[in-house]
Amino acid sequence: MRRRIKRLSSQILLAQLVILTASMAIGFALFAQTARSNLDADYQARAAAIAQTFAGIPAIQTCISTGGPDCAATVQNLASQTANRTGAAYVVTIDRNRIRHSHPNPALIGKQVSEPLVAQDGRVHLGINSGSTGVTAAARVPLFAPASTTIVGEVSVGIRESSVSRELLAQLPSYAVWFALVLAIGTLASFGLASLLKRRTFGLELDEIARLLQEREATLHGIREGVIAIDPAGRITVVNDEAQRLLRLPEGARGRYLEDVLVATPVRDALSGTTAVKDAIVVTDDDVLVVNRMPVTLAGRPHGAVVTLQDRTEVTGLTRELDGERSFTESIRAQQHEFANRMHAVSGLLELGRIEEAKQYLDEIRGTTADLDSTLRTHIGAPMIVGLLLGKAAEANERGIELVISPDTDLGEAPGRVQALTTVLGNLIDNAFDALATTPGARRVTVSVIESSDAITVRVSDNGPGVPNGDLPRIFENGYTTKHGSLERHSGLGLSLVHRTVTKLGGTISVSCDHGATFEVVLPRVPTAAEAVR
C-alpha cells in the first residue's frame, strides 16, 4: 500500500481527491449558510406579510384606536386564529402606550413592553428575535387608525427558527446529491489526468525522473564531446560545456536561436541544416571539428536534431606531422630505391671494365644531389623547412614532377611561426602536386620563401590547369574541392587549413591563374628575442 502511494499517479490522484473533497465540503457549508440566510429572509418576509394583513383588519384598528368592552377578547381571539392558520409562533398587538393587547401567553396581556415601538416611523422592520417564545424570524409593522394615517400601535409577528431549520434540512439532501455528483466527476477527471501524466512520463516516478535528470546533466557535462539539441524552430534546447567551449557560445545560449548566437559560418550551416550529417570536417578560427547531425522524428513528426561535435584540432596537427614523417619515409624509400639502381649501374660498368664511364656517372649523380642540398642550405636556414622541402623533392621526383626552389628564396634559421609556415608551405605544395596529377608533359612546381623585416612571403606556382574562374570564390571553403577520383577522398581541407592559419595570424592569401595557379601568402613576421632587445 505504501509503495502504491509513492507512485506519481497515485500521489497526484490522492492530492486532487483531497483538494476536491475539501473544496466540496467548504463549498457545501457556504452554500448551506447562504441557503439558511435566504430562508431567514423568506420567513421574515412571510412574517411581515402576516403582520400587515393582521394590521389591516378593521376590527383590530378600531379596538386599538378607540377601545371597547369586547376589544380585549376580540384582539386576542383574532391573534390566536391568525397564528394557528399561518403557523406563526406569535402575533402580538401593542398600542402606543406599549401595552400588549394580544400575546400567546395570556398572563402578559395588558402588560407594558420594555422596549420602545420601532414601527412608529411607519416602516416595516425585519430581524431575528430571541424572546419568551424562542428564536424567531420576526417582523414589526405599524398599526394605523381606521381610514387614517395615524399610527396607533404596532403588530409583531414571529415564526420559529425551527421551522426554517426543518425546511433547510429538507432541501439539503437534494443539493448534497449534486455536490456528490460533481465530486465524482472531479474524481474521474483527476484519475484521467493522473493516467495521462503517467503516460507522458513513460511510467516513471518522481524520484526516477529526478535521478534521470541528474544522470543526464552529469553525462552531458562529463563527456568530452560537444552535444547540442535543436528544436524544429531552430532554438537551442540542450547544450553542454564542451559544445559551448568549441563554438564559443555566450552564456545563456540555451533557449535562443542559432542565428542569434552564431555568425554565418560553415559550422552554423551544419547545425541548422535539415538533413543528416555524418563525420563532416568543419574548420573554425581556432579548431578543427568533426560534426555529426542526426534529425529526430517522433510519431512521424520532426522534433529537431541532435548534433555532436568532436575536437580534432590536436589529431589534425598530429596527422600533419605524421604526413611529414610519412613524406620523409617515402623520400628515404625512394632514395634507397634510386640508390640501389645507381649502384647496380655502377657495378655493371665496373664489371665491363668501363672505369672512366663509371667515374663520370658518379660525378653526375653527386652533382645533382649536391645541387639541391646546396640550394636549400644556401637559401633556407630553418632545419624544419629544409627537411620539409627535401621530403617534398623526393616525392616530386617519384611522381615525375620537377620541384624548383626559386633563386630569390631567403629564409633565416629562426624565422618565427615555423609551425604555421610548415602548415602553409606543406599544404600549398601538396595542392600543387595534386593539381599536376592529370597534367601531361613536363610538370613543374616552383617554391619561393622570402623573409623580410616585417613579413614572410610564400609563393607556390605550378604549370597545371589552374583554378576555374567559377571556383575562385569558394576554393578556401571547408570541404570544397575541384578534384575527382582518388584525389577527392582527402581533399577539401588543405586550402581551408591554410586560409584559417593565415587569417588567424593576421596575414593574407591570394591566388592568380596565369599558365597554371600561383598561391601567395604573406605572414606578418614575429621579431626574434634579439631583435626585440635591440
Side-chain angles (χ1 to χ4, degrees):
M1 182 65 180
R2 183 177 298 176
R3 178 178 177 84
R4 185 175 299 173
I5 293 178
K6 286 184 177 180
R7 294 179 179 176
L8 175 60
S9 57
S10 301
Q11 292 181 13
I12 294 175
L13 179 60
L14 182 60
Q16 290 180 330
L17 286 178
V18 171
I19 294 173
L20 282 173
T21 303
S23 300
M24 290 294 105
I26 295 173
F28 188 75
L30 293 175
F31 177 81
Q33 183 179 0
T34 303
R36 178 58 182 262
S37 299
N38 293 334
L39 285 175
D40 283 338
D42 291 341
Y43 272 76
Q44 290 170 12
R46 188 184 302 178
I50 295 171
Q52 288 174 331
T53 302
F54 186 81
I57 298 174
I60 299 299
Q61 294 176 346
T62 300
C63 286
I64 297 301
S65 60
T66 61
D70 298 326
C71 282
T74 300
V75 173
Q76 178 65 14
N77 290 334
L78 289 175
S80 298
Q81 292 173 7
T82 301
N84 291 333
R85 287 196 305 267
T86 60
Y90 61 84
V91 177
V92 177
T93 307
I94 306 172
D95 61 17
R96 289 181 62 87
N97 297 321
R98 296 184 295 167
I99 302 298
R100 297 187 185 95
H101 291 266
S102 65
H103 197 277
N105 185 0
L108 296 177
I109 297 175
K111 302 292 184 180
Q112 190 179 41
V113 297
S114 58
E115 67 270 12
L117 298 181
V118 297
Q120 286 185 347
D121 58 359
R123 294 185 298 175
V124 178
H125 293 268
L126 306 176
I128 302 297
N129 184 31
S130 299
S132 60
T133 57
V135 180
T136 58
R140 295 182 182 184
V141 300
L143 178 61
F144 297 97
S148 175
T149 58
T150 302
I151 297 175
V152 296
E154 175 184 279
V155 176
S156 176
V157 176
I159 302 176
R160 288 186 179 89
E161 280 289 297
S162 58
S163 300
V164 180
S165 300
R166 282 194 301 271
E167 185 171 348
L168 178 63
L169 291 175
Q171 295 178 1
L172 286 181
S174 61
Y175 296 133
V177 171
W178 287 107
F179 273 89
L181 180 61
V182 172
L183 180 61
I185 295 174
T187 302
L188 292 176
S190 299
F191 181 77
L193 178 61
S195 301
L196 177 63
L197 290 177
K198 186 174 183 179
R199 290 195 300 271
R200 288 291 181 90
T201 57
F202 302 98
L204 298 175
E205 305 304 329
L206 285 176
D207 54 344
E208 294 175 327
I209 295 174
R211 186 166 59 252
L212 281 177
L213 179 61
Q214 293 171 352
E215 291 174 354
R216 191 201 75 162
E217 291 298 316
T219 302
L220 278 177
H221 298 288
I223 60 177
R224 295 194 62 185
E225 288 188 2
V227 178
I228 298 180
I230 304 168
D231 67 8
R235 285 187 297 263
I236 299 174
T237 56
V238 175
V239 57
N240 67 347
D241 296 338
E242 184 65 8
Q244 200 155 3
R245 182 187 70 83
L246 293 175
L247 298 179
R248 305 296 189 269
L249 295 178
E251 292 295 333
R254 181 180 300 180
R256 299 174 62 183
Y257 289 94
L258 278 174
E259 55 266 23
D260 295 337
V261 296
L262 284 177
V263 297
T265 59
V267 177
R268 195 179 80 177
D269 295 339
L271 296 181
S272 60
T274 57
T275 59
V277 177
K278 184 177 181 181
D279 295 336
I281 304 296
V282 178
V283 180
T284 67
D285 291 339
D286 301 303
D287 304 298
V288 178
L289 306 178
V290 178
V291 179
N292 287 275
R293 186 182 189 277
M294 180 61 65
V296 178
T297 303
L298 296 177
R301 294 184 301 175
H303 280 257
V306 176
V307 180
T308 60
L309 306 167
Q310 291 180 327
D311 189 359
R312 291 287 298 272
T313 306
E314 294 183 4
V315 175
T316 302
L318 293 175
T319 301
R320 290 296 165 186
E321 293 183 11
L322 181 60
D323 288 341
E325 297 296 333
R326 183 182 292 112
S327 176
F328 182 73
T329 302
E330 292 295 326
S331 172
I332 297 299
R333 186 189 64 80
Q335 291 181 14
Q336 183 268 338
H337 181 72
E338 188 176 358
F339 180 77
N341 291 333
R342 291 171 177 175
M343 289 301 99
H344 289 157
V346 172
S347 175
L349 290 174
L350 292 177
E351 287 182 1
L352 294 174
R354 299 182 177 182
I355 298 175
E356 291 299 326
E357 293 180 4
K359 289 176 61 178
Q360 292 178 1
Y361 180 66
L362 290 174
D363 290 339
E364 180 181 351
I365 293 173
R366 184 178 60 186
T368 303
T369 305
D371 286 345
L372 177 61
D373 184 71
S374 175
T375 299
L376 290 176
R377 295 184 183 279
T378 300
H379 295 276
I380 300 175
M384 184 178 295
I385 304 301
V386 172
L388 173 67
L389 292 177
L390 282 174
K392 296 300 181 183
E395 181 181 354
N397 184 55
E398 190 171 86
R399 297 175 65 168
I401 299 173
E402 180 185 4
L403 180 63
V404 178
I405 305 301
S406 178
D408 60 357
T409 296
D410 183 18
L411 186 67
E413 293 184 2
R417 292 174 175 168
V418 176
Q419 185 64 41
L421 187 59
T422 303
T423 299
V424 170
L425 196 56
N427 279 285
L428 291 180
I429 293 175
D430 287 340
N431 185 73
F433 285 172
D434 292 339
L436 294 173
T438 58
T439 300
R443 298 177 294 175
R444 182 174 62 259
V445 174
T446 304
V447 177
S448 172
V449 183
I450 304 173
E451 180 182 13
S452 64
S453 59
D454 56 354
I456 298 176
T457 302
V458 177
R459 188 180 297 107
V460 177
S461 305
D462 64 73
N463 62 340
V467 181
N469 292 331
D471 294 331
L472 283 175
R474 302 186 58 191
I475 58 174
F476 297 116
E477 292 182 7
N478 178 49
Y480 185 78
T481 180
T482 59
K483 302 165 188 176
H484 303 283
S486 61
L487 296 175
E488 188 178 4
R489 185 166 59 97
H490 297 295
S491 298
L493 185 60
L495 290 180
S496 177
L497 281 173
V498 171
H499 184 268
R500 179 177 67 88
T501 301
V502 172
T503 304
K504 184 177 179 181
L505 296 178
T508 60
I509 181 170
S510 60
V511 57
S512 60
C513 298
D514 185 14
H515 303 293
T518 300
F519 288 85
E520 182 174 305
V521 172
V522 179
L523 294 175
R525 185 173 176 273
V526 179
T528 63
E531 292 174 340
V533 171
R534 290 198 299 266

